[in-house]
RNA sequence: GGCGACGUAGCUCAGCGGUAGAGCAGGGGACUCAUAAGCCCUUGGCCACAAGUUCAAAUCUUGUCGUCGCCA
């Protein structure tokens, strides 16, 4: 039965480049999962985009003398390039700065308002009369009222680390000068307390497949929910769709509108593809499964607050009153990746940047290490020496070498063709059965989002083929019994052809090449394309996935005798030990 | 301070009520198709600590300590 699978992926924030921790935390597991389901023949929709709004972006824009729009576009473009290099196959990677997203976010807001889940409240905030606008907390500095550090930021003290209430700062001053005064301002709040009972019902039923850290934390959070402000005094964002509000420079708070991106991007994808209602197959079909791939810092927003927004909005663009928007089926959040034992820090440049690493290493080598070492249950550590060791000992030695040794052997001894085996021996059938079982065992682990275990299982299957070859020893058979050697080589090539598929979700580039080496036509997956989409107020670039022409199937090989093989080449590169030292030195030199 | 996850072989982790497991690293061996890769054998652990429940506990309960994170 074909399933509808929505793969929702965390939205990178447009004020910093992406590092390996971000990739392994959310983007890569989502891609592996999406590719697996596509091979299974399921209908996959993988969406995300750049989170373009909010104060940190205006801060950076001010610092660089650019507009907020220029800043977001620069990072957005770099995200697109990185995703192409790592083969992350978003059906649509868009941005929150589109007319479509504005409209959908405002409509969700209005639905929540209409359904009685919003209320307003007045609070005091810093206002700059000279500039005629309210200042975000981090634009106000002063003495910390807790530790008396003289240069604390309004939102947080850099000295004692405490989160601050900016109105309590001692001797407050505006960053960059100018007058400052406290003024009353009114904001909308999401009434999470009112939504708590429905949320508790949702989180207490049928969540056995959720990771313990995700479900336990979320159940705890629901017990202490309070209203939360969803608007801000800010000009870079989505205007509040209420008369008298949009005129006074009030916007939807980024945390509120960014998560709506999963929904708006699904709608945009449908429109871009000329099937404006297609998104409903993922959002209203109760049998569709929706997954949210995020880092652990985002758990409350995806397992509690986003479901609250969906429950409160109930339905949108749907007249059938019996239907409600689908809530997350699973939120397989990953923990964090450290680097050489220390926390990754972009500002201290203690990071392995995605685009930089892709300059020097193949995407599949990076993908392999990031999946084998994925922080699924606890924080993990990126170590360059481990990267080199696992690349050489596991990826190259067990899998790359298996493919290369057998293709080379077939090329030299069977005129570059798949030999005709005649009748297979029991031991040949046994091996093929063991490989075939891998489609169930690897597939089951992938379906349960246990990606490192799934990759380990695929590698174990590859080891079985290595063992089979050692027992059969076709290099000996060929000297005395060419027919026996033909059976062995046929069987091994068949197994390798199947392994190509088992590894494909993890290592798509090398599997694609192996597919060609084995003499098949077509490609396993579709193609990534960067496309510009026009709206009446402007255009935005997006990453898309064209699935037409993809021939990959999650099925054992049906390799034909006499199929012509292409001249083989090693799938992966062995790395020098010195690479690890060079990279660590680079890390320290740069920091 | 409250809460959560985690703490198992040198390293990375699986097991989560019934005689301690895998991969890598270390040691030994036979082979040579292959990126000196692969294969076979092997060294190695009071399962953080302490009490309790049970015929039986890495596995359940409680407490302590440690790591990471969230909240205040």
């Amino acid at each position: 039965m074909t399933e509808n699978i929505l793969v929702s992926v965390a939205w990178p924030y447009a004020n910093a480049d992406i590092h390996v921790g971000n990739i392994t935390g959310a983007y890569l597991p989502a891609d592996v999962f999406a590719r697996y389901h596509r091979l299974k023949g399921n209908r996959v929709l993988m969406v995300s985009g750049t989170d373009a709004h909010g104060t940190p972006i205006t801060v950076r824009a001010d610092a660089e003398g650019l507009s907020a729009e220029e800043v977001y576009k620069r990072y957005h473009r770099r995200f697109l390039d990185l995703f192409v290099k790592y083969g992350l196959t978003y059906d649509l990677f868009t941005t929150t700065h589109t007319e479509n997203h504005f409209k959908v976010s405002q409509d969700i807001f209005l639905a929540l308002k209409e359904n009685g889940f919003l209320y307003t409240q007045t609070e005091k905030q810093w206002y700059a009369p000279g500039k005629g606008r309210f200042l975000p907390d981090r634009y106000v500095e002063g003495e910390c009222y807790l530790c008396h550090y003289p240069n604390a930021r309004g939102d947080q003290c850099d000295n004692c680390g405490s989160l601050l209430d900016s109105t309590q700062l001692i001797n407050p001053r505006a960053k960059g000068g100018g007058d400052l005064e406290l003024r009353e301002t009114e904001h909308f709040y999401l009434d999470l307390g009112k939504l708590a009972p429905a949320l508790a019902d949702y989180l207490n039923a049928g969540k056995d497949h959720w990771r313990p850290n995700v479900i336990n934390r979320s159940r705890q959070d629901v017990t202490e929910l309070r209203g939360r402000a969803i608007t801000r005094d800010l000009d870079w964002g989505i205007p509040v769709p209420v008369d008298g509000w949009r005129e006074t420079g009030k916007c939807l708070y980024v945390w509120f509108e960014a998560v709506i991106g999963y929904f708006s991007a699904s709608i945009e994808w449908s429109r871009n593809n000329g099937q404006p209602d297609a998104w409903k197959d993922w959002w209203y079909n109760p049998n569709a499964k929706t997954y949210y791939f995020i880092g652990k810092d985002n758990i409350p927003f995806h397992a509690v607050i986003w479901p609250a927004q969906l429950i409160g909005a109930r339905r949108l663009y749907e007249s059938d009153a019996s239907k409600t928007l689908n809530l997350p089926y699973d939120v397989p959040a990953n923990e964090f990746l450290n680097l050489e034992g220390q926390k990754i820090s972009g500002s201290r440049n203690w990071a392995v940047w995605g685009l930089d690493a892709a300059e020097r290493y193949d995407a599949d080598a990076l993908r392999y290490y990031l999946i084998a070492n994925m922080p699924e249950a606890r924080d993990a550590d990126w170590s360059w020496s481990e990267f080199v060791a696992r690349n050489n000992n596991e990826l190259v030695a067990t899998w790359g070498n298996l493919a290369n040794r057998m293709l080379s052997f077939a090329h030299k001894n069977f005129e570059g063709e798949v030999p005709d085996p005649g009748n297979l021996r029991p031991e040949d059938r046994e091996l093929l059965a063991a490989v075939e079982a891998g489609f169930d065992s690897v597939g089951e682990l992938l379906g349960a989002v246990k990606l490192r275990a799934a990759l380990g299982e695929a590698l174990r299957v590859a080891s079985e083929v290595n063992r089979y070859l050692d027992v059969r020893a076709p290099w000996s058979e060929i000297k005395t019994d060419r027919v026996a050697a033909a059976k062995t080589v046929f069987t091994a090539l068949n197994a390798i052809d199947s392994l190509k598929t088992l590894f494909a979700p993890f290592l798509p580039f090398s599997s694609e090449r192996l597919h060609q080496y084995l003499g098949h036509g077509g490609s396993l997956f579709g193609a990534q394309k960067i496309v510009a989409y026009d709206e009446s107020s402007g255009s935005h670039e997006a990453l898309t996935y064209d699935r037409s022409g993809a021939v990959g199937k999650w099925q054992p090989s049906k390799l034909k005798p006499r199929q012509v093989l292409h001249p083989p080449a090693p799938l992966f590169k062995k790395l020098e030990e010195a690479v690890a030292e060079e990279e660590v030195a680079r890390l320290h030199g740069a920091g």
Side-chain angles (χ1 to χ4, degrees):
Chain A
M1 187 190 76
T2 302
E3 289 189 291
N4 293 327
I5 309 282
L6 180 71
V7 180
S8 306
V9 196
W11 290 56
Y13 200 59
N15 77 334
D17 277 321
I18 288 172
H19 55 64
V20 287
N22 307 132
I23 295 172
T24 199
Y27 316 138
L28 180 55
D31 180 66
V32 173
F33 190 74
R35 285 180 185 268
Y36 163 66
H37 278 290
R38 289 186 186 122
L39 290 169
K40 284 275 283 182
N42 288 326
R43 290 186 72 204
V44 173
L45 179 58
M46 172 162 157
V47 292
S48 183
T50 294
D51 186 354
H53 300 136
T55 306
I57 289 162
T58 60
V59 170
R60 179 172 284 271
D62 289 350
E64 297 185 19
L66 298 169
S67 70
E69 183 157 2
E70 285 168 324
V71 167
Y72 118 71
K73 282 196 163 161
R74 184 179 71 205
Y75 283 105
H76 180 62
R77 179 67 216 197
R78 291 172 67 82
F79 297 163
L80 299 180
D81 291 343
L82 184 146
F83 294 152
V84 169
K85 284 195 167 135
Y86 283 79
L88 303 180
T89 47
Y90 294 90
D91 288 287
L92 179 67
F93 183 89
T94 178
T95 137
T96 56
H97 202 62
T98 66
E99 276 173 48
N100 171 68
H101 179 71
F102 274 49
K103 177 74 165 67
V104 174
S105 298
Q106 290 171 332
D107 286 345
I108 292 266
F109 174 95
L110 291 172
L112 285 163
K113 186 162 172 285
E114 177 72 19
N115 294 339
F117 294 112
L118 300 187
Y119 62 91
T120 60
Q121 194 170 297
T122 298
E123 61 191 50
K124 283 190 172 154
Q125 255 196 296
W126 292 109
Y127 185 81
K131 293 177 180 147
R133 62 175 168 118
F134 284 93
L135 292 178
D137 287 339
R138 70 177 66 194
Y139 276 55
V140 181
E141 294 175 338
E143 184 181 326
C144 175
Y145 53 88
L146 296 172
C147 74
H148 298 282
Y149 173 69
N151 298 312
R153 295 204 319 255
D155 56 338
Q156 185 172 15
C157 175
D158 286 333
N159 187 51
C160 67
S162 305
L163 297 176
L164 302 181
D165 171 359
S166 68
T167 62
Q168 292 187 49
L169 283 177
I170 300 163
N171 299 321
R173 57 187 183 273
K175 196 176 172 181
D179 291 342
L180 207 54
E181 63 182 56
L182 273 179
R183 261 201 202 181
E184 297 218 314
T185 177
E186 193 178 21
H187 283 292
F188 275 99
Y189 281 67
L190 178 61
D191 196 343
L192 288 164
K194 202 168 171 181
L195 288 157
L199 275 171
D201 289 347
Y202 160 68
L203 288 172
N204 286 325
K207 296 288 175 284
D208 291 347
H209 58 289
W210 282 38
R211 294 182 181 171
N213 57 335
V214 179
I215 190 62
N216 289 337
R217 272 224 37 198
S218 303
R219 282 178 181 151
Q220 180 62 32
D221 289 345
V222 168
T223 63
E224 43 199 44
L225 282 177
R226 291 169 299 178
R228 197 172 170 125
I230 62 169
T231 59
R232 294 249 84 188
D233 293 288
L234 185 69
D235 49 14
W236 175 241
I238 302 176
V240 178
V242 175
D243 288 341
W245 285 66
R246 65 169 76 78
E247 295 81 1
T248 52
K250 289 182 194 283
C251 280
L252 300 179
Y253 217 141
V254 261
W255 69 259
F256 175 81
E257 53 103 337
V259 286
I260 296 172
Y262 301 116
F263 182 57
S264 68
S266 303
I267 294 172
E268 187 194 331
W269 173 84
S270 301
R271 285 197 195 138
N272 292 345
N273 288 281
Q275 304 168 290
D277 285 331
W279 59 271
K280 293 187 177 180
D281 294 340
W282 287 275
W283 287 93
Y284 283 118
N285 177 352
N287 294 321
K289 288 182 177 166
T290 61
Y291 292 83
Y292 291 77
F293 288 86
I294 57 165
K296 66 175 163 184
D297 51 326
N298 259 323
I299 291 172
F301 287 108
H302 292 78
V304 179
I305 293 177
W306 174 232
Q309 292 174 245
L310 290 167
I311 291 170
R314 239 171 269 158
R315 76 186 61 78
L316 205 62
Y317 314 137
E318 172 57 57
S319 50
D320 183 343
S322 71
K323 294 184 174 174
T324 54
L325 288 161
N326 283 337
L327 303 179
Y329 172 77
D330 195 5
V331 182
N334 276 343
E335 307 286 303
F336 287 153
L337 185 69
N338 294 318
L339 172 56
E340 302 290 351
Q342 292 177 52
K343 199 179 291 192
I344 291 178
S345 164
S347 55
R348 284 176 30 239
N349 206 21
W350 188 258
V352 176
W353 299 105
L355 283 171
D356 182 53
E359 296 282 315
R360 295 190 293 287
Y361 306 101
D362 290 338
D364 276 356
L366 294 164
R367 285 175 67 116
Y368 178 80
Y369 180 55
L370 287 171
I371 298 164
N373 194 31
M374 200 164 259
E376 289 179 335
R378 56 178 76 92
D379 289 354
D381 187 45
W382 173 293
S383 138
W384 279 106
S385 64
E386 202 198 344
F387 168 71
V388 171
R390 298 191 80 151
N391 178 76
N392 293 352
N393 299 331
E394 299 173 19
L395 184 62
V396 173
T398 303
W399 171 223
N401 183 57
L402 168 63
N404 189 231
R405 69 193 291 206
M406 208 49 326
L407 281 164
S408 300
F409 190 84
H411 235 269
K412 283 178 194 157
N413 295 289
F414 291 94
E415 293 82 44
E417 286 184 359
V418 177
D420 190 335
N423 291 324
L424 293 180
R425 299 158 297 194
E427 57 266 42
D428 305 327
R429 293 206 195 86
E430 269 171 40
L431 179 77
L432 294 179
V435 173
E436 185 164 346
F439 284 86
D440 288 333
S441 58
V442 176
E444 201 168 304
L445 289 164
L446 279 168
V449 208
K450 295 178 176 171
L451 307 188
R452 2 177 352 155
L455 179 56
E457 174 65 8
L459 213 62
R460 189 195 62 71
V461 175
S463 292
E464 287 202 40
V465 182
N466 274 320
R467 256 193 298 279
Y468 163 86
L469 279 178
D470 195 70
V471 172
R472 295 294 358 136
W475 46 92
S476 300
E477 286 178 321
I478 193 92
K479 292 173 188 162
T480 56
D481 186 349
R482 192 176 165 80
V483 175
K487 293 181 197 298
T488 302
V489 172
F490 174 84
T491 302
L493 286 174
N494 209 283
I496 289 165
D497 196 27
S498 288
L499 279 165
K500 159 200 85 184
T501 305
L502 293 178
F503 279 110
F506 311 100
L507 310 170
F509 295 98
S510 50
S511 283
E512 204 76 78
R513 274 204 292 145
L514 186 50
H515 184 71
Q516 308 302 324
Y517 293 167
L518 287 165
H520 296 296
S523 50
L524 295 172
F525 295 105
Q528 294 176 282
K529 282 180 186 158
I530 293 176
V531 179
Y533 290 109
D534 294 322
E535 294 180 311
S536 57
S537 63
S539 81
H540 62 278
E541 285 190 313
L543 179 61
T544 64
Y545 177 72
D546 177 2
R547 66 191 63 203
S548 64
V551 300
K553 287 203 171 70
W554 193 253
Q555 291 173 358
S557 162
K558 293 171 189 153
L559 200 60
K560 298 274 190 304
R562 304 241 162 63
Q563 179 154 305
V564 177
L565 303 167
H566 285 222
L571 289 180
F572 311 106
K573 295 186 196 102
K574 195 168 173 176
L575 298 171
E576 299 287 333
E577 303 269 338
V579 162
E581 290 160 37
E582 286 163 20
E583 289 290 352
V584 172
R586 184 195 303 267
L587 208 47
H588 284 104

